[in-house]
Amino acid sequence: MPEPVGMALGDTRLLADVCGANDYNLRLLERLLGARLHVRGNEIMVDSDDACVAPLFVAIITQLLEAIGEGVPSSPDLITAIHASLTPEGDRRDKGGQSCADMFKEAAIQVPGAFGRVFPRTANQALYLRGLATHDITFAIGPAGTGKTYLAVAWALREVLTKSRRKLVLTRPVVEAGESLGFLPGDLAQKINPYLRPLYDAMEALVPFDVVRRLEDSHTIEIAPLAYMRGRSLNHCVVILDEAQNTTKEQMKMFLTRLGEGSAAVITGDTTQIDLPRKSESGLLHALSILSGVDDIFTCRMDGRDVVRNSLVRKIIEAYESEL
């Protein structure tokens, strides 16, 4: 049997970051490598009869230490992404020769006044943030929990708080998800607020509430129901269209043609949760089919492997997908 291969870590704090709470990261690495790991002093050892395991183990720990050194939080998602980037069966993304740690570091977002830097937690999320930075229109397609809305809001807040764009416009189709809500009291903002709650949740998770309120009071953040966008021209704005799977073809065309000079649009949606009447075609699906060849439009497609909300959510999504 080959001798155990070890990686020496500098101090106990670094060892704790790598191992994770209750050694959760170690247990995850064992499942990914199919080998037994144990800690001796400040060294992590791997035991395996497979000669391919030790080099892979060293490569994963090396990239993980590099990422931690750059400030990327050690997490199960980061370890999974690094493992996927180093194995042929898992490497499903074109990273241009970069290490996974480099991608995560370069894609990180620093929102002024935020609680901390925002790092992608999967390789696909890193590509998503790169697409936001380099394209005027970005489609993010994927199931619940993949960070589509959260990352879009983080990037948009950085744009407006650094004065790169003058306004953040939040919009979504007002379509009820399988139940009738009846008449909603209040003014326009109060009526649409329940539908935009996920966007507010993302903002309040990123920056203090008083920052969000100040941006609203100065009209730097604007709530705009999709039906009220017709005829407008949005210049030097970031526009986020959430739940885009519930737009009609006409609504999607209208939205995309609102973009003016210096503006960027982020369209997020889950094509498995369409709440439109059965006879209506989703504007998101239609746009994806006809705009695939248009320059400066980036499409990021996520799946269950990109779910970061809760490991159980990933299993639920996989169970539902297996029935299709």
Side-chain angles (χ1 to χ4, degrees), residues 7 19 33 98 119 159 195 238 249 252 262 269 274 285 287 299:
M7 286 282 293
C19 293
L33 295 171
Q98 282 186 305
F119 290 94
E159 290 293 291
Y195 293 95
V238 177
K249 290 196 298 183
M252 180 61 76
I274 298 174
L285 292 175
T299 300

Side-chain angles (χ1 to χ4, degrees), residues 134-152:
T134 57
H135 294 76
D136 290 336
I137 296 178
T138 301
F139 287 90
I141 315 302
T146 51
K148 306 182 300 296
T149 300
Y150 180 81
L151 294 176

Side-chain angles (χ1 to χ4, degrees), residues 5-54:
V5 174
M7 286 282 293
L9 307 184
D11 54 57
T12 55
R13 179 178 298 179
L14 190 58
L15 179 65
D17 285 342
V18 171
C19 293
N22 299 319
D23 289 341
Y24 185 86
N25 290 349
L26 283 188
R27 304 290 82 81
L28 172 62
L29 272 171
E30 287 181 335
R31 292 196 298 272
L32 293 174
L33 295 171
R36 179 67 178 169
L37 301 180
H38 58 273
V39 176
R40 181 184 301 163
N42 286 339
E43 191 173 17
I44 300 179
M45 314 286 293
V46 60
D47 286 315
S48 177
D49 293 329
D50 188 342
C52 297
V53 168

Side-chain angles (χ1 to χ4, degrees), residues 2-296:
E3 286 292 318
V5 174
M7 286 282 293
L9 307 184
D11 54 57
T12 55
R13 179 178 298 179
L14 190 58
L15 179 65
D17 285 342
V18 171
C19 293
N22 299 319
D23 289 341
Y24 185 86
N25 290 349
L26 283 188
R27 304 290 82 81
L28 172 62
L29 272 171
E30 287 181 335
R31 292 196 298 272
L32 293 174
L33 295 171
R36 179 67 178 169
L37 301 180
H38 58 273
V39 176
R40 181 184 301 163
N42 286 339
E43 191 173 17
I44 300 179
M45 314 286 293
V46 60
D47 286 315
S48 177
D49 293 329
D50 188 342
C52 297
V53 168
L56 180 58
F57 164 75
V58 171
I60 291 173
I61 297 298
T62 299
Q63 286 206 23
L64 182 59
L65 292 175
E66 179 187 341
I68 293 172
E70 295 293 342
V72 182
S74 175
S75 69
D77 301 297
L78 174 60
I79 291 171
T80 302
I82 292 174
H83 175 265
S85 73
L86 294 170
T87 53
E89 65 273 13
D91 192 7
R92 55 195 169 97
R93 293 131 177 161
D94 178 14
K95 300 180 293 300
Q98 282 186 305
S99 72
C100 203
D102 286 340
M103 281 190 66
F104 281 39
K105 177 184 67 175
E106 290 181 10
I109 298 174
Q110 180 63 65
V111 181
F115 298 119
R117 294 178 72 189
V118 177
F119 290 94
R121 294 174 62 183
T122 71
N124 222 12
Q125 286 189 354
L127 289 176
Y128 177 29
L129 290 176
R130 181 184 291 177
L132 289 173
T134 57
H135 294 76
D136 290 336
I137 296 178
T138 301
F139 287 90
I141 315 302
T146 51
K148 306 182 300 296
T149 300
Y150 180 81
L151 294 176
V153 169
W155 180 79
L157 281 175
R158 186 188 65 180
E159 290 293 291
V160 297
L161 288 172
T162 58
K163 309 297 185 183
S164 299
R165 300 287 196 333
R166 67 178 182 85
K167 180 181 286 190
L168 167 57
V169 180
L170 306 174
T171 187
R172 60 157 286 176
V174 180
V175 177
E176 295 160 349
E179 58 182 314
S180 177
L181 300 179
F183 174 76
L184 294 176
D187 59 21
L188 177 61
Q190 291 170 326
K191 291 177 187 292
I192 194 65
N193 184 274
Y195 293 95
L196 294 172
R197 191 66 245 171
L199 295 167
Y200 277 98
D201 289 343
M203 287 191 289
E204 292 168 12
L206 289 161
V207 296
F209 177 76
D210 63 303
V211 174
V212 179
R213 178 59 59 86
R214 175 170 55 84
L215 293 173
E216 284 188 307
D217 291 343
S218 64
H219 301 289
T220 303
I221 292 178
E222 177 186 347
I223 299 169
L226 186 58
Y228 287 41
M229 299 267 296
R230 189 175 299 279
R232 299 187 62 182
S233 180
L234 301 172
N235 297 313
H236 304 289
C237 298
V238 177
V239 193
I240 297 177
L241 171 57
D242 199 32
E243 301 291 341
Q245 74 275 6
N246 290 328
T247 60
T248 63
K249 290 196 298 183
E250 295 76 17
Q251 286 176 326
M252 180 61 76
K253 178 183 176 182
M254 179 270 292
F255 171 80
L256 292 172
T257 54
R258 297 308 93 204
L259 293 185
E261 182 180 354
S263 287
V266 188
I267 299 102
T268 68
D270 179 358
T271 55
T272 68
Q273 298 193 47
I274 298 174
D275 300 312
L276 291 169
R278 291 186 179 276
K279 293 183 179 180
S280 299
E281 180 181 356
S282 169
L284 177 60
L285 292 175
H286 179 256
L288 291 172
S289 67
I290 67 171
L291 298 177
S292 59
V294 177
D295 292 338
D296 213 16

